Amino acid sequence: MPNHSETKTPRETVTVTDNSSGRSVEFPLLSGSVGPKVMDIRPLYNELGIFTYDPGYTSTGSCKSAITYIDGDQGVLLHRGYAIEDLAEHCDFLEVAHLILNGELPNPTQKARFNDEITHHSMLNEQINFFFRGFRRDAHPMAVMCGVVGAMAAFYHDSTNVHDPRQRMIAGERLIAKMPTVTAWAYKYSMGQPFMYPKNSLGYSENFLHMMFATPCDDYEVNPVLARAMDRILILHADHEQNASTSTVRLAGSSGANPFACIAAGIASLWGPAHGGANEAVLQMLREIGSKDRIPEFIARAKDKNDSFRLMGFGHRVYKNYDPRAKIMQRTCYEVLEELGIHNDPLLSLAIELERIALNDDYFVERKLFPNVDFYSGIIFSAMGIPTQMFTSLFALARTVGWIAQWNEMLTDADQKIGRPRQLYTGEKPRPFRPLADRA
Ligand code: ACO
């Protein structure tokens, strides 16, 4: 096994010694603007003829990025240097989208231009309408979104050249603008209701709520408190550095695949219950628990290694402290329930009690398992009248901003190469071929 030891030289390095051959090689230590140092192991295979083994990438950085910073021990989340608490409190979603995409919060002129661009790209090519109709009515909305977003490459040919910065920008704006329409139409289709077209007089979240809940038969007034809550939820989900779906988008994009295909890949990855699918799973879990007296039974199941049950909405690969998004989400949850006149919501009080018990249980304390962003979001969505199956689609809608920014950053990085991990091969060694007649 390699022996790791740090040497003190002006250029900080880490020396790796392969004890089997006695060869030592120094690898540079890179420093980001904040956060731990990073060992640059790119020459490792050429120098020592060995690979690293790191399933789940627990100690592997796959890229450089200037978009989002997380300090998981302190529970800190920054986008382009701004704290998530400040952004959620003072910005609307499109301002945060501008920040994540371009590196700076927009000034009033930039804000007006960006809002205008997004607003005027929100309609879908009318032919996509028929694409939706090919799905069964009971299709999961995430399946519909994977299909429709991937198919957009067939509708918007003029923004698929990934080497043209202008086409990349147009593709990004199209995706961010059309995602609420795709999401709302996936819902409308499942309900058997007519698709509602976007309304340019409305803001991003207002328009989304309008397309979800309006019908051609009735006037629909968007509740400003709910629109603000939706905007804040979108902000909280906009980006989260190199998570599974973002890494999927980067990996898909590293081959030069078009942006619509890459975002469809991100949606597919997000769908899993260990990632974005957790918000749907939390609500299912709370309903299954049903009453406070059954919490100990489920806590015991979550701790039992022979039971695959996990406390959904709890734990995170990076946060070993309270997820800062979960705190804001909890506050938003109270605001929405208050606005809707829902007092003593049974699911909310069950969630609060579950959180209290888990945070005082040695198993969760020792493993630093805290509520994550998904723990409270489902309760808010549910109170707003959004069905459980739609929850992960809302996450995808918001995360599209981060996916686009990260994909764009990757394509403009001079170090960018096609993503191609190595492996620790455990299969058969070379062996002689046996003709069919000789195989028992
Ligand atoms: N319930 C019970 N035990 C848990 C949970 C949980 N939710 N999460 C982690 N653990 C335990 C593991 O069993 C493990 O215990 P051990 O050390 O005794 O073997 C330990 O805590 C560490 O867990 P890992 O699975 O190794 O941590 P990892 O970083 O790989 O997983 C994950 C992170 C997938 C988020 C995990 O915590 C989980 O499954 N949580 C529930 C699903 C969820 O809420 N996902 C949303 C994540 S946030 C997002 O994507 C938006």
Side-chain angles (χ1 to χ4, degrees):
M1 282 294 288
N3 173 24
H4 302 251
S5 63
E6 213 167 329
T7 55
K8 296 267 181 268
T9 60
R11 186 182 76 136
E12 283 186 286
T13 59
V14 173
T15 302
V16 175
T17 304
D18 177 355
N19 291 331
S20 59
S21 68
R23 288 197 58 213
S24 289
V25 178
E26 276 191 6
F27 296 96
L29 265 186
L30 310 177
S31 296
S33 36
V34 254
K37 296 202 170 123
V38 172
M39 180 180 163
D40 181 355
I41 58 150
R42 280 176 294 178
L44 179 67
Y45 182 62
N46 277 348
E47 297 281 349
L48 287 180
I50 55 179
F51 300 137
T52 55
Y53 176 64
D54 185 17
Y57 309 117
T58 53
S59 295
T60 299
S62 59
C63 61
K64 301 196 286 282
S65 183
I67 301 172
T68 292
Y69 174 74
I70 302 172
D71 181 334
D73 294 326
Q74 299 301 319
V76 169
L77 169 61
L78 310 177
H79 293 312
R80 305 283 191 183
Y82 293 108
I84 188 66
E85 291 83 356
D86 286 336
L87 297 173
E89 180 72 24
H90 304 297
C91 293
D92 64 35
F93 176 64
L94 287 186
E95 277 177 87
V96 175
H98 186 285
L99 171 73
I100 289 174
L101 292 166
N102 303 302
E104 294 297 339
L105 286 165
N107 63 30
T109 315
Q110 290 165 330
K111 180 173 157 113
R113 190 209 69 85
F114 187 62
N115 283 5
D116 197 61
E117 284 295 331
I118 297 298
T119 303
H120 290 95
H121 278 99
S122 53
M123 211 156 64
L124 291 169
N125 181 304
E126 191 59 14
Q127 199 68 17
I128 294 181
N129 198 320
F130 300 104
F131 195 83
F132 272 91
R133 293 173 200 278
F135 287 98
R136 282 170 52 136
R137 293 270 176 198
D138 61 356
H140 195 285
M142 286 296 275
V144 176
M145 290 182 75
C146 283
V148 171
V149 172
M152 281 164 73
F155 291 90
Y156 303 106
H157 301 282
D158 59 342
S159 54
T160 52
N161 177 358
V162 301
H163 304 295
D164 178 346
R166 188 171 155 70
Q167 289 203 25
R168 286 205 305 271
M169 189 195 75
I170 294 173
E173 290 186 352
R174 277 185 169 147
L175 276 156
I176 292 165
K178 293 179 199 308
M179 211 55 163
T181 318
V182 173
T183 312
W185 283 19
Y187 171 63
K188 285 298 196 194
Y189 187 73
S190 73
M191 298 293 286
Q193 289 185 5
F195 296 142
M196 293 301 288
Y197 287 82
K199 216 172 178 181
N200 289 350
S201 58
L202 299 175
Y204 193 84
S205 293
E206 287 175 309
N207 185 38
F208 173 63
L209 291 174
H210 153 78
M211 288 189 287
M212 285 283 291
F213 297 119
T215 67
C217 326
D218 269 323
D219 291 333
Y220 177 78
E221 284 281 318
V222 180
N223 178 323
V225 176
L226 300 192
R228 177 67 194 128
M230 180 58 72
D231 223 52
R232 197 176 299 144
I233 293 170
L234 298 184
I235 293 171
L236 295 180
H237 288 91
D239 189 55
H240 213 232
E241 52 118 307
Q242 309 313 319
N243 53 82
S245 58
T246 302
S247 299
T248 302
V249 170
R250 279 184 176 258
L251 193 55
S254 75
S255 69
N258 74 72
F260 304 100
C262 296
I263 301 304
I267 295 172
S269 168
L270 187 74
W271 194 354
H275 192 10
N279 55 12
E280 182 177 337
V282 169
L283 249 260
Q284 283 160 352
M285 174 188 78
L286 290 174
R287 288 189 180 127
E288 195 188 339
I289 297 175
S291 60
K292 289 183 187 171
D293 56 314
R294 293 192 66 203
I295 291 177
E297 178 195 329
F298 282 83
I299 293 273
R301 283 186 59 194
K303 294 176 357 184
D304 181 355
K305 291 286 160 225
N306 299 317
D307 190 327
S308 62
F309 175 79
R310 280 190 165 197
L311 216 51
M312 300 314 287
F314 254 78
H316 198 275
R317 169 62 61 78
V318 183
Y319 290 119
K320 301 301 167 201
N321 201 326
Y322 214 99
D323 180 339
R325 301 168 302 172
K327 280 189 193 146
I328 306 169
M329 200 64 90
Q330 192 190 44
R331 256 199 336 267
T332 308
C333 188
Y334 286 121
E335 281 169 28
V336 167
L337 295 183
E338 176 68 33
E339 173 65 17
L340 295 173
I342 302 173
H343 303 291
N344 306 321
D345 177 59
L347 285 184
L348 178 63
S349 48
L350 193 57
I352 291 169
E353 183 62 2
L354 181 61
E355 179 186 333
R356 192 191 64 75
I357 293 178
L359 292 182
N360 286 296
D361 187 299
D362 284 349
Y363 174 94
F364 293 90
V365 173
E366 280 161 17
R367 289 169 181 75
K368 299 185 178 164
L369 300 170
F370 291 87
N372 58 49
V373 69
D374 290 319
F375 193 66
Y376 284 103
S377 60
I379 297 172
I380 311 180
F381 291 150
S382 174
M384 285 180 171
I386 297 168
T388 315
Q389 272 212 334
M390 284 296 298
F391 292 177
T392 313
S393 305
L394 269 83
F395 193 156
L397 152 56
R399 185 55 59 84
T400 299
V401 165
W403 290 333
I404 296 286
Q406 301 267 354
W407 168 79
N408 211 23
E409 185 182 63
M410 174 198 65
L411 290 172
T412 50
D413 183 344
D415 288 343
Q416 195 265 326
K417 282 177 185 303
I418 185 166
R420 204 321 183 169
R422 307 305 291 251
Q423 62 170 11
L424 173 64
Y425 176 67
T426 58
E428 292 289 347
K429 292 187 173 154
R431 49 181 172 161
F433 177 74
R434 284 162 57 196
L436 182 59
D438 296 352
R439 292 174 224 153

